[in-house]
Amino acid sequence: MPVLPYNADNVKFAKALRKNMTPEERKLWFCFLRKHIPKFVRQKPIDNYIVDFYCQARKIAVEIDGSQHYDIKGADYDTKRTDILNNYGIKVIRFSNREINQQFKEVCTVIEQCLHE
């Protein structure tokens, strides 16, 4: 499988993010993705971005969006970022913090469905 390009400057930041996950990232990682097959990794640098969770085998990025993603600037940034990731053949699926906290089972079901498409 070809190696995705990444900004080397983001590697140190990605390691820090792994150590300081949000509560919603922790929940999704420790309650579902950590031992999932196919394998997911946390805080994966791709291009000039860092995706929350990435499954290389299926080319799926899972993003958990906090409140900063819902203003105009955040939404524009996410659209651009998603377009760039899509150009690498990566499918991006997004969930809000609220969905992780209140609809966790449904979130896991959506991820499973995307993995089997």
Side-chain angles (χ1 to χ4, degrees), residues 3 5 20 26 35 37-38 84 89 94 97 105 107:
V3 175
N20 297 296
R26 292 182 83 67
K35 295 184 179 180
I37 303 295
I84 289 170
R94 295 184 168 281
N97 285 340
K105 188 174 181 179
V107 166

Side-chain angles (χ1 to χ4, degrees), residues 22-60:
T22 66
E24 292 78 14
E25 289 170 340
R26 292 182 83 67
K27 182 175 183 177
L28 187 58
W29 179 250
F30 288 108
C31 295
F32 185 64
L33 294 178
R34 180 174 64 141
K35 295 184 179 180
H36 197 281
I37 303 295
K39 182 181 176 181
F40 279 84
V41 295
R42 298 178 288 158
Q43 305 302 333
K44 172 74 173 164
I46 301 173
D47 199 283
N48 287 312
Y49 306 102
I50 300 171
V51 299
D52 292 335
F53 303 100
Y54 181 65
C55 176
Q56 181 177 348
R58 298 290 191 269
K59 294 187 91 171
I60 293 175

Side-chain angles (χ1 to χ4, degrees), residues 92-109:
V92 179
I93 51 178
R94 295 184 168 281
F95 301 100
S96 67
N97 285 340
R98 184 176 183 191
E99 288 172 304
I100 297 295
N101 290 322
Q102 296 180 3
Q103 300 170 320
F104 188 73
K105 188 174 181 179
E106 292 84 356
V107 166
C108 297
T109 299

